[in-house]
Amino acid sequence: HLQRELLQERTKVKALSEELENPMNVHRWRKLEGSDPATYELIQKVRTLQKRLIAKTEEVVQKDAVISEKESLYNQLKNIIQRQPGPEVEAQLSVYQANLEEKKKQMRSMTTELRMEQGRVGDYRDEIDRLNRDLTEVKKKFYDQKRREQLTLQKSELGKAKFEPTPNPNQPRFTGGGFNLSI
């Protein structure tokens, strides 16, 4: 791109320097219409050709700018496309999706098993609560029975104590495990 611009500028410089070396219109401040018509026509042709040359070089410069813009856009799009996932990424994605579905199925079955086990745990807790209540009732009945028996025993001992003969002080006394306690 820079080389083209350099070439265009050199062409302009060359054309202007040739015009300075060989001036075609010596009297630029007035038109030469009557003296030499062939020279005048040639001068007019040179001017129009120079104008066309300048216009074409400007057009070439503009088109070069458009081309450079298009090339940069092409390179940007090329980079974007290179970053896009390819077929191997799609294959890998499908494998991941299949694995995900399998894991979801496992998760659902595990969730079902968890609910079932939670139900069993709830049943076991209910069973434990029921057994604890039954145990409490049995203990309560047992202690009530013991109290009744103790009360009955105490009543019978009170009745026996009234009728028991007083121990003989000369006789040895035995208490507990049959040990002799002498006083």
Side-chain angles (χ1 to χ4, degrees):
H1 178 68
L2 293 174
Q3 290 177 350
R4 287 182 186 170
E5 288 181 10
L6 181 63
L7 182 63
Q8 290 168 0
E9 293 298 321
R10 283 184 183 169
T11 307
K12 287 180 187 178
V13 168
K14 189 175 180 181
L16 292 173
S17 64
E18 283 179 7
E19 186 179 345
L20 280 175
E21 290 174 8
N22 300 324
M24 294 181 190
N25 188 3
V26 179
H27 306 284
R28 294 182 186 167
W29 53 91
R30 65 186 160 147
K31 293 182 180 180
L32 298 175
E33 294 179 4
S35 61
D36 192 7
T39 308
Y40 180 71
E41 288 175 7
L42 290 176
I43 291 172
Q44 290 291 34
K45 270 188 177 179
V46 168
R47 282 186 183 169
T48 57
L49 288 175
Q50 284 177 344
K51 286 180 184 177
R52 282 178 53 197
L53 179 65
I54 291 172
K56 290 293 181 183
T57 54
E58 288 176 358
E59 191 176 314
V60 167
V61 168
Q62 289 174 353
K63 289 192 178 188
D64 281 342
V66 169
I67 288 173
S68 66
E69 287 177 25
K70 296 292 181 181
E71 283 179 350
S72 66
L73 180 63
Y74 168 75
N75 288 332
Q76 288 174 353
L77 291 175
K78 185 177 169 183
N79 290 336
I80 290 172
I81 288 173
Q82 286 177 348
R83 283 186 256 138
Q84 294 296 321
E88 62 276 348
V89 174
E90 290 179 18
Q92 193 175 16
L93 181 63
S94 65
V95 168
Y96 286 154
Q97 286 175 341
N99 285 341
L100 179 65
E101 287 300 319
E102 184 179 329
K103 295 295 180 188
K104 282 183 181 178
K105 285 179 185 176
Q106 288 177 354
M107 188 84 128
R108 284 186 217 122
S109 67
M110 289 176 76
T111 303
T112 304
E113 288 179 26
L114 177 66
R115 287 183 186 142
M116 198 167 69
E117 293 301 320
Q118 285 175 341
R120 281 188 193 166
V121 168
D123 291 344
Y124 290 148
R125 284 186 181 150
D126 292 343
E127 180 88 14
I128 289 170
D129 289 343
R130 185 184 60 79
L131 289 174
N132 281 334
R133 283 192 303 269
D134 289 348
L135 180 64
T136 305
E137 287 177 26
V138 168
K139 281 183 180 180
K140 188 176 180 181
K141 286 179 183 177
F142 176 75
Y143 289 126
D144 286 345
Q145 175 96 19
K146 278 288 206 186
R147 267 191 231 118
R148 277 188 255 134
E149 286 177 5
Q150 195 171 12
L151 286 176
T152 307
L153 187 61
Q154 283 178 357
K155 285 182 184 178
S156 67
E157 284 183 10
L158 285 176
K160 283 184 184 179
K162 292 179 184 176
F163 299 115
E164 271 189 28
T166 58
N168 188 356
N170 296 333
Q171 239 181 2
R173 280 186 22 195
F174 296 100
T175 59
F179 297 102
N180 185 5
L181 298 175
S182 51
I183 299 179

